[in-house]
Amino acid sequence: MENTKKILVVDDERKIRELVRLYLEKEGFKVGEAADGQKALDLYKDAQWDLIVLDLMMPGIDGWAVCKEVRKNSSVPIIMLTARDDELDRILGLELGADDYVSKPFSPRELVARVKAVLRRTQAAIPTELPVGADIIQFPGLSINPELRLVLVDDRAVSLTPKEYELLYQLARSPQRTFTREELLETIWGYDYMGDTRTVDTHVNRLRDKLLKASGNKTSYISTVWGVGYKFEVK
């Protein structure tokens, strides 16, 4: 249930934190607050959070640094708050592993809707009733267990963000099939996402880098079909 979900709100503006807290708590969420990047990292390490709302433009340790640090060992969903509708800000944030973004000034109701949408997408990717060992996808050197959301490359676990996992799972379920960027954007991010197809490119590139590194630079499993999109193949 949503009222068990814990949201960490990180922003150096007190009025924004209070407003976001008010709207999230009205929807039944439990909310923690951090006024700077260091406090955000301390709270992140001290508790389990279901989602982080993260302002990028903060003095000291900024949102980019926080996102990068969190992504070293966690796939917790992150929604960025950007001070302006700057494409470079969005691209950098997405490259670091953020799941969505909202530009300031924003409607608190829109932010709450984004929070719910990201949580729904994260939960929807987790099968709730799978027999042990069922539906495991296996290829030479690669295993995907959807029940555990576990990806193994050469028997070693690979840490993926929710979107990276969903992309891999979607592609690997239909090897050799070419998915257009529009298909992947619609399937993984959904109609309520406000991004564009470059979001897909950014996440695929991050996913490929992780798989390539995990395989000892042997293969990333994902090939680009120029002018169309991407496909999963074992070379």
Side-chain angles (χ1 to χ4, degrees), residues 5 9 20 42 59 81 112 119 132 136 171 173 188 190 193 203 212:
K5 300 298 183 183
V9 178
V20 173
D42 291 341
L81 298 180
V112 171
L119 289 173
V132 175
I136 293 178
L171 292 167
R173 285 194 304 173
I188 306 302
Y193 182 69
H203 281 75
L212 189 62

Side-chain angles (χ1 to χ4, degrees), residues 44-191:
Y44 157 71
K45 294 174 182 177
D46 289 342
Q48 292 290 325
W49 302 95
D50 295 290
L51 185 143
I52 299 175
V53 176
L54 178 62
D55 183 30
L56 290 183
M57 303 297 291
M58 294 186 294
I61 300 177
D62 61 25
W64 285 289
V66 173
C67 184
K68 187 175 182 179
E69 185 65 25
V70 169
R71 280 292 175 258
K72 287 181 179 179
N73 54 23
S74 174
S75 60
V76 59
I78 296 175
I79 296 178
M80 304 179 298
L81 298 180
T82 61
R84 57 191 184 279
D85 193 15
D86 191 309
E87 182 180 13
L88 291 178
D89 282 355
R90 298 200 305 270
I91 291 174
L92 179 56
L94 292 170
E95 285 179 346
L96 291 176
D99 296 270
D100 202 348
Y101 70 90
V102 174
S103 297
K104 294 182 179 180
F106 59 86
S107 160
R109 289 187 177 88
E110 179 194 357
L111 178 59
V112 171
R114 295 293 188 89
V115 167
K116 290 181 177 181
V118 170
L119 289 173
R120 280 198 306 270
R121 292 196 297 266
T122 303
Q123 293 168 336
I126 305 176
T128 56
E129 297 182 357
L130 274 178
V132 175
D135 204 31
I136 293 178
I137 300 175
Q138 290 185 313
F139 296 95
L142 175 68
S143 174
I144 304 171
N145 187 324
E147 182 181 18
L148 303 177
R149 291 178 66 87
L150 177 65
V151 176
L152 300 176
V153 173
D154 292 337
D155 296 322
R156 292 188 297 272
V158 181
S159 177
L160 301 178
T161 68
K163 287 291 167 288
E164 291 164 355
Y165 170 83
E166 291 167 31
L167 275 168
L168 178 60
Y169 184 65
Q170 180 71 18
L171 292 167
R173 285 194 304 173
S174 302
Q176 299 300 327
R177 176 190 165 186
T178 297
F179 289 84
T180 67
R181 291 170 174 83
E182 289 77 12
E183 282 182 290
L184 292 171
L185 189 67
E186 178 182 321
T187 301
I188 306 302
W189 280 267
Y191 285 108

Side-chain angles (χ1 to χ4, degrees), residues 142 151 153 158 160 168 206-222 232:
L142 175 68
V151 176
V153 173
V158 181
L160 301 178
L168 178 60
R206 285 176 52 85
L207 172 59
R208 286 200 292 205
D209 286 345
K210 291 183 178 181
L211 295 175
L212 189 62
K213 182 178 179 180
S215 70
N217 293 320
K218 289 183 292 188
T219 179
S220 69
Y221 296 99
I222 300 172
F232 181 96

